[in-house]
Amino acid sequence: MSDADFTLLPDLAVRTLGGAVLWANDESFAEKENLIRPQAATYSPATFGHKGQEYDGWETRRRRGENGAHPAGDDCDSAIIRLGVPGVIKGVIVDTAWFKGNYPPEITVEAIAVEGNPSVDELVAAQGWTTIVERAKVAGDSKNPFAVDSAKRWTHVRLRMFPDGGIARLRVHGVAKPDLAWLESGPFDLAAIENGGLVADCSNIFFSHPQNILMPGRAASMGDGWETARGRDKTTNDWVLVQLAAEGVITAAEIDTSYFLFNSPGAGALTGIRADGSEVELLPRTRLQPDTRHRFLIDSAEAVVRVRFDAYPDGGMARLRLFGTLTDEARTRLRAELENELA
């Protein structure tokens, strides 16, 4: 997957997915929690507090070596981030937006897989950290992309910057791999990012990203959903294709148009796609209302791996939920994947 492609995958570290910045060795100028805010970093010139210009990011003090000289080459500042959901990391973005004279020259990113809920002290002292982005130069006021070549499942990442400075955002793009025992406990949302679902493709990304519709919780505003451009071709409609966490049987669906008062689809349909590529109708073309949570029972026993939502003719929606259960074959495959990771 190229640097450009991995950014289409969900950000596993973002706060709205449950990510958290657990620790940083220093945050003298700007707090570590800014690293995973979902919004793009902002900047207001000449906004000075007691400690200096205020930045929307994580910024540390200027390090000093012996006798006030520049620090040694291995001196660095670090932050530890817990992913909102464990997953396979395909790439990271180290965004230095607005940091022009105070960004770090170089960074590394490491990852670790720790089960349960380790304490901060346990994570800081842990010996199993693996480098997934080798020490590399970054540019100021830029989105610096780094592809990751690892098929392992990770739970935490550690960002290091050499020797100090400011980073606005850290984006950790990948595919969620939650605890299999959780997925086997009963019916769940097979489309949710936190359960391993993701948007595989869509007809239009204009106003906002389609991955938003699979995020946890209710949308906070129209901008927290997926909205397409206004379609002018009367022969086509907009659509989004969802890759399920694994093969499953869909029993209920929720199509949520909350906050879309004048630009929701007039109608929608759900089509399941089997493992062999054939299609099955889950929900026929059905009228939709603005600013409404629509709930539908799905009368189908067909096992599917993907679901396409067709919006007629265009518009936006806040959330899409696809509730169901895994097939026995899916459980077997997921169990085998987990055993390979632990081997």
Side-chain angles (χ1 to χ4, degrees):
M1 180 171 285
S2 71
D3 292 349
D5 289 340
F6 74 70
T7 61
L8 299 176
L9 296 172
D11 177 6
L12 301 180
V14 72
R15 182 65 186 177
T16 47
L17 193 57
V21 184
L22 302 178
W23 171 87
N25 69 303
D26 183 271
E27 47 184 333
S28 298
F29 287 112
E31 57 268 24
K32 61 186 185 298
E33 287 81 8
N34 288 332
L35 280 171
I36 59 171
R37 294 180 63 193
Q39 303 85 1
T42 59
Y43 178 76
S44 298
T47 307
F48 289 94
H50 183 69
K51 296 180 180 180
Q53 171 67 42
E54 296 178 353
Y55 278 89
D56 182 10
W58 170 47
E59 185 183 8
T60 67
R61 72 200 185 288
R62 297 191 189 209
R63 283 179 167 267
R64 297 292 185 243
E66 292 186 11
N67 299 320
H70 286 296
D74 291 334
D75 283 356
C76 66
D77 288 322
S78 304
I80 293 177
I81 298 95
R82 183 192 67 226
L83 301 181
V85 58
V88 176
I89 299 171
K90 298 297 186 179
V92 302
I93 300 288
V94 178
D95 186 355
T96 57
W98 306 108
F99 288 97
K100 300 179 181 180
N102 49 353
Y103 63 92
E106 297 176 312
I107 61 89
T108 63
V109 181
E110 300 160 307
I112 195 171
V114 183
E115 297 306 314
N117 299 288
S119 69
V120 171
D121 289 342
E122 289 169 337
L123 287 168
V124 172
Q127 299 298 310
W129 291 96
T130 299
T131 300
I132 58 173
V133 176
E134 298 288 347
R135 187 163 172 172
K137 294 184 181 299
V138 295
D141 195 24
S142 303
K143 293 182 178 179
N144 299 272
F146 300 95
V148 173
D149 184 17
S150 171
K152 292 186 177 181
R153 174 182 179 270
W154 308 107
T155 60
H156 299 73
V157 296
R158 181 165 62 189
L159 172 64
R160 293 183 183 271
M161 55 181 174
F162 299 86
D164 53 48
I167 295 172
R169 299 288 188 267
L170 176 68
R171 304 303 188 198
V172 183
H173 295 278
V175 180
K177 295 289 183 182
D179 185 354
L180 178 57
W182 177 263
L183 299 186
E184 291 185 318
S185 63
F188 65 96
D189 183 1
L190 287 158
I193 288 175
E194 60 185 339
N195 293 331
L198 59 88
V199 169
D201 199 1
C202 73
S203 60
N204 186 273
I205 301 177
F206 191 86
F207 289 109
S208 47
H209 203 290
Q211 298 288 2
N212 289 341
I213 65 176
L214 308 183
M215 292 293 281
R218 299 296 161 201
S221 67
M222 189 171 67
D224 193 21
W226 169 53
E227 183 184 359
T228 70
R230 299 191 185 204
R232 303 306 188 194
D233 184 349
K234 296 182 180 180
T235 64
T236 63
N237 64 278
D238 282 321
W239 51 269
V240 61
L241 182 64
V242 177
Q243 177 75 44
L244 303 180
E247 184 182 60
V249 176
I250 306 297
T251 56
E254 181 177 299
I255 301 171
D256 185 357
T257 60
S258 293
Y259 296 104
F260 288 88
L261 277 71
F262 307 106
N263 51 358
S264 62
L270 294 171
T271 303
I273 301 173
R274 303 181 183 91
D276 63 5
S278 60
E279 297 185 352
V280 56
E281 182 181 80
L282 301 179
L283 179 72
R285 183 165 174 168
T286 302
R287 186 179 65 171
L288 299 177
Q289 298 295 336
D291 197 25
T292 301
R293 288 172 60 192
H294 308 79
R295 290 180 168 179
F296 304 99
L297 296 178
I298 305 299
D299 184 18
S300 174
E302 297 286 346
V304 297
V305 295
R306 292 185 171 189
V307 173
R308 186 181 69 248
F309 170 75
D310 283 286
Y312 297 99
D314 52 36
M317 64 188 211
R319 295 289 187 267
L320 176 65
R321 308 298 189 203
L322 300 171
F323 300 99
T325 56
L326 297 174
T327 62
D328 290 339
E329 291 80 5
R331 291 191 183 93
T332 300
R333 181 177 62 79
L334 291 173
R335 207 171 288 119
E337 290 179 358
L338 179 60
E339 291 173 355
N340 290 336
E341 290 170 0
L342 297 176

